Amino acid sequence: MPEQRQRREEPEQSSGLKGAIQALGFFLLAQFIISQFFGGKQASGSGAKPSDVPSFAARPARSEVSDYSRIPDLVSPIWPSDSGLDMSIYVSPSVVVPSFKSLSSDNLVLEEKNFMVGNYSDTREVDTTIKIPKEVQRNGTLWAHFFIGLTGHQLDPTAKDYSTDSAVHFFRPLNQYLPKKKVKKLKNLLASTEEAAEEEDDGTPDVSIASFYHPNFTVSVIPDSGTQKFRQVHPAVRQHMQLEATGARDASGQNGWYYPIVFLNTFWQLKTHMMELNSTVDTVPLRITLNNLQNWKFSMMASVDENAKQTAKQAAFGGQTPGGGDGSEFEMIKEVLLDTNIYLLATTGVVTVLHMVFETLAFKNDISHWRKKKDVVGTSVRTILANVFMQAVIFLYLMDNSENTSWMILASQGFGILLEAWKITKTVDVRLRPPPAGSFFSFLPYVVVFEDKHKLSETEQKTKEYDEIAFRWLYILAVPLLAAYATYSLIYNTHKSWYSYVIETLVGSVYAYGFLMMVPSLYINYRLKSVAHMPGKALTYKFLNTFIDDLFAFTVKMPWLHRLATFRDDVIFFIWLYQGWKYKVDYKRVNEFGQGGDSDEEEEEPTPADASKAKESASSSGKDGSKQTTRKRK
């Protein structure tokens, strides 16, 4: 028999404030998850009154029940809510268990006496090691057989004095059958033909079901489940309810009883902490915690856990899931809740909301700025084209490397591409023209060309010139870096195909050097000695999001070099702040480029009729009006 440690009447260790915050956060998270998975809240009870079902001791004989229903309407606890329980748990590869006398002591993993139902401070723990039978190594199920009864009563179903009135037996699996995705084999594109042949597909399916085991289990007794409408209980909850073994009913024949709900809690088991059971696994550790759990927590955990597993399995086999994704989102939420400090988690939640708000405001102000823009002063057309290219590369990368990527992420990325493409149409005219004779594209009937919307002013011509200079130096810096990275990746890294290699190389360069796309704009600001043409509000919101990303860099596990890389955009932001300080902008007047600052209202151009009326009014006002107007301008 393994060594057992009991903790009875143990006081709470956490402080009241921290416990309250954790409980509140847990409740809010539960409500959000339930609304996402089920579309509404799941009621844990039915509203039935305990008086609707008499006590089990007052049940009539089966022969006295005329209108018998095989499926009960109301079910009530068979034993009092403050009963003491004896519990034994045996492990076996079979669902059929012989008498206790024929079982080996190695099969007994827990034996507790007088566990009090409803005493939330009564917690028992056991640590042991169990042997994995050959059947389980060959993808069989490892069953945990629960023998539970009122204190002092017989638990062995094969004994003569055993009674289902005072004891119950049921079994639960300790291992889980979860989808296991095939690890896609990568290859070195420069490898020889023989090496490439060894890495060819071996014919195994992309998704298979494997047996996984987690060493930690919590066995929770639910003391306050009360009387419930059996047909309306959530299926995930109903599978944990054991109806009275003889099928007894009350006088109406419609209502019955059920044994105490014993919940084998796997809610907090993470797949990353599980081990796959196969022929190489002979023994595994087992830690069991026995406690009481509130009914509302049990209902939430059972429902959410069951739906999360079904969603993950559906996504693994290519099915559609709510909100897209690969079914591992809930696993990530649990991992964050387990591994992150409660205060840091709350801070992260707040800044996540701020991140979404700032991103929305950045989109809104960026669109507003470009909608009112009537010239190309200070605008780097090449930067916009480069942004379209980089956004498209990231989109292709998400499509190529992320199976079942959330449609929300893809939609956001696609909207960013459309926004940058729209900026091009606001800056230049996009036309299809026949290619010039003797050009590289002369074999094509038409090519895409960018034409100025109007004759460029002197300042706009300077902007175009400065843009060319900035990108010339940018090419000198970025192209060798891209070539070096591409060469290194081709020689030392492995890839799925040449297409994946090209996409991964380009997206790696985008993530590494994407911040350089702001450099031409800074150079144009420096040469024009002005930042009036810049979308100030949109840039501010974008850079605020950059600082939030800096915070995430220290809350999410990542290499230090990657953390330092998140501060690159901060350098650009501080340079832009310095330029904004040096080149002051008065937003209350029209600036030197004919723009009305950041006013949200566009000035309407006067119609010919309005202009005629204004002219007549001016001529009839005479000299006094002219003098008055002159004085006002002064």
Side-chain angles (χ1 to χ4, degrees):
M1 181 64 194
E3 178 185 359
Q4 300 188 18
R5 302 191 306 274
Q6 300 183 3
R7 299 181 300 175
R8 294 181 172 87
E9 307 296 338
E10 185 177 272
E12 293 292 332
Q13 299 295 324
S14 59
S15 64
L17 176 60
K18 184 176 180 181
I21 294 176
Q22 288 177 329
L24 178 61
F26 188 84
F27 175 76
L28 294 177
L29 176 66
Q31 297 302 314
F32 170 77
I33 294 174
I34 290 175
S35 64
Q36 292 297 314
F37 279 86
F38 315 124
K41 299 179 180 178
Q42 295 291 339
S44 59
S46 62
K49 299 179 181 179
S51 58
D52 294 339
V53 182
S55 65
F56 180 70
R59 69 191 184 282
R62 180 69 176 269
S63 58
E64 299 177 4
V65 178
S66 57
D67 188 15
Y68 183 85
S69 174
R70 293 180 59 86
I71 300 177
D73 180 24
L74 298 179
V75 288
S76 186
I78 188 174
W79 301 330
S81 59
D82 57 350
S83 301
L85 301 180
D86 293 344
M87 181 182 300
S88 296
I89 300 179
Y90 290 83
V91 294
S92 171
S94 173
V95 295
V96 179
V97 178
S99 64
F100 285 4
K101 296 180 181 179
S102 61
L103 286 173
S104 170
S105 59
D106 294 337
N107 297 107
L108 180 62
V109 295
L110 181 139
E111 186 175 24
E112 291 293 338
K113 302 293 184 181
N114 197 29
F115 177 79
M116 298 306 298
V117 178
N119 186 357
Y120 292 97
S121 62
D122 189 358
T123 302
R124 321 282 178 93
E125 292 182 355
V126 57
D127 288 301
T128 186
T129 301
I130 57 177
K131 295 181 179 180
I132 300 299
K134 295 295 183 182
E135 298 89 337
V136 178
Q137 291 179 343
R138 293 191 289 266
N139 212 30
T141 302
L142 182 63
W143 297 100
H145 290 264
F146 290 77
F147 299 90
I148 302 173
L150 295 173
T151 298
H153 288 73
Q154 179 62 254
L155 301 183
D156 187 357
T158 61
K160 293 182 179 180
D161 57 343
Y162 178 82
S163 173
T164 57
D165 296 353
S166 57
V168 63
H169 161 251
F170 58 90
F171 46 86
R172 297 284 185 268
L174 290 182
N175 57 328
Q176 302 181 43
Y177 294 95
L178 302 176
K180 176 184 176 183
K181 292 185 178 181
K182 177 184 176 182
V183 179
K184 293 187 177 180
K185 293 183 178 180
L186 304 179
K187 58 185 177 181
N188 190 308
L189 299 178
L190 299 180
S192 61
T193 307
E194 292 78 7
E195 294 177 355
E198 294 178 359
E199 298 177 351
E200 289 182 356
D201 189 6
D202 55 4
T204 57
D206 292 337
V207 180
S208 59
I209 299 297
S211 175
F212 291 90
Y213 171 83
H214 195 286
N216 296 328
F217 290 89
T218 300
V219 178
S220 299
V221 179
I222 314 302
D224 57 342
S225 52
T227 301
Q228 302 193 39
K229 286 186 175 294
F230 187 71
R231 292 182 176 90
Q232 297 180 5
V233 176
H234 193 285
V237 175
R238 189 164 58 232
Q239 67 180 349
H240 296 282
M241 299 179 67
Q242 300 293 322
L243 297 181
E244 192 272 330
T246 63
R249 297 289 183 269
D250 64 357
S252 67
Q254 304 299 311
N255 306 320
W257 296 267
Y258 65 96
Y259 297 102
I261 298 176
V262 179
F263 177 41
L264 186 61
N265 191 353
T266 61
F267 184 83
W268 294 110
Q269 291 184 355
L270 301 178
K271 189 175 180 180
T272 54
H273 297 166
M274 295 182 181
M275 64 182 74
E276 184 177 354
L277 297 180
N278 49 41
S279 58
T280 62
V281 181
D282 296 323
T283 60
V284 293
L286 176 63
R287 179 185 179 89
I288 297 178
T289 301
L290 177 62
N291 61 14
N292 287 274
L293 182 68
Q294 291 93 337
N295 185 53
W296 71 269
K297 287 185 179 180
F298 156 68
S299 301
M300 184 276 297
M301 287 182 174
S303 303
V304 173
D305 192 39
E306 181 68 21
N307 280 271
K309 290 177 180 177
Q310 294 298 328
T311 300
K313 185 178 296 185
Q314 182 179 358
F317 287 96
Q320 295 294 327
T321 60
D326 59 357
S328 63
E329 293 80 10
F330 185 64
E331 185 87 359
M332 295 173 61
I333 293 175
K334 292 194 294 184
E335 188 171 356
V336 170
L337 291 175
L338 288 174
D339 298 341
T340 307
N341 179 274
I342 183 65
Y343 302 109
L344 183 59
L345 182 63
T347 303
T348 305
V350 172
V351 298
T352 300
V353 174
L354 292 177
H355 191 284
M356 292 187 293
V357 172
F358 289 151
E359 186 174 8
T360 303
L361 291 175
F363 271 126
K364 180 258 184 186
N365 286 278
D366 201 17
I367 294 174
S368 177
H369 171 82
W370 281 90
R371 184 169 54 86
K372 296 183 294 183
K373 195 172 181 63
K374 297 180 176 62
D375 54 46
V376 294
V377 173
T379 301
S380 175
V381 180
R382 289 175 175 81
T383 297
I384 301 175
L385 292 172
N387 285 336
V388 173
F389 173 75
M390 291 190 296
Q391 297 264 21
V393 167
I394 295 175
F395 184 82
L396 294 176
Y397 174 77
L398 293 175
M399 295 292 293
D400 181 58
N401 290 274
S402 298
E403 297 180 359
N404 294 322
T405 302
S406 173
W407 62 267
M408 292 183 291
I409 297 177
L410 293 176
S412 175
Q413 191 66 30
F415 181 76
I417 296 175
L418 294 178
L419 179 59
E420 295 296 329
W422 173 72
K423 290 180 183 179
I424 296 176
T425 64
K426 294 290 292 183
T427 307
V428 294
D429 289 329
V430 182
R431 297 286 186 265
L432 287 176
R433 304 294 188 199
S439 67
F440 180 78
F441 299 101
S442 58
F443 62 93
L444 296 175
Y446 295 98
V447 293
V448 178
V449 296
F450 301 105
E451 300 175 351
D452 296 327
K453 287 182 173 292
H454 56 269
K455 185 178 180 180
L456 300 182
S457 64
E458 181 181 356
T459 307
E460 290 174 328
Q461 194 65 40
K462 288 182 178 180
T463 298
K464 187 176 181 180
E465 177 185 347
Y466 300 152
D467 190 24
E468 293 176 358
I469 295 174
F471 260 85
R472 186 184 309 126
W473 286 101
L474 195 62
Y475 291 147
I476 294 175
L477 175 64
V479 171
L481 292 175
L482 175 60
Y485 175 71
T487 304
Y488 175 86
S489 179
L490 181 62
I491 296 175
Y492 296 103
N493 294 342
T494 56
H495 308 276
K496 291 187 297 184
S497 62
W498 283 99
Y499 172 77
S500 294
Y501 160 71
V502 173
I503 294 298
E504 290 174 5
T505 302
L506 290 176
V507 81
S509 301
V510 168
Y511 285 141
Y513 317 125
F515 76 105
L516 293 176
M517 289 299 102
M518 278 296 296
V519 173
S521 296
L522 297 179
Y523 179 73
I524 293 173
N525 296 344
Y526 165 71
R527 296 301 299 268
L528 294 179
K529 307 299 181 186
S530 174
V531 294
H533 51 271
M534 299 289 287
K537 289 184 178 180
L539 288 176
T540 301
Y541 291 130
K542 288 181 180 180
F543 284 122
L544 285 175
N545 271 344
T546 298
F547 291 127
I548 293 177
D549 293 336
D550 297 340
L551 176 62
F552 282 128
F554 287 94
T555 59
V556 179
K557 295 180 180 179
M558 62 180 66
W560 271 100
L561 289 178
H562 189 74
R563 287 179 175 174
L564 294 177
T566 60
F567 295 98
R568 299 168 307 185
D569 292 344
D570 300 341
V571 177
I572 301 293
F573 175 60
F574 286 119
I575 296 176
W576 178 72
L577 283 181
Y578 170 75
Q579 290 182 335
W581 169 79
K582 188 173 183 179
Y583 313 131
K584 299 291 185 180
V585 179
D586 185 2
Y587 292 102
K588 296 181 180 179
R589 66 175 181 83
V590 176
N591 59 42
E592 62 269 33
F593 305 119
Q595 299 172 353
D598 286 339
S599 175
D600 292 334
E601 298 181 0
E602 295 186 44
E603 296 183 2
E604 297 183 358
E605 296 184 2
T607 61
D610 295 336
S612 176
K613 291 180 180 179
K615 186 175 181 180
E616 292 176 0
S617 176
S619 60
S620 62
S621 61
K623 295 182 179 179
D624 294 339
S626 300
K627 292 179 181 179
Q628 185 178 6
T629 304
T630 304
R631 287 195 296 271
K632 284 184 178 179
R633 284 201 297 267
K634 290 181 180 179

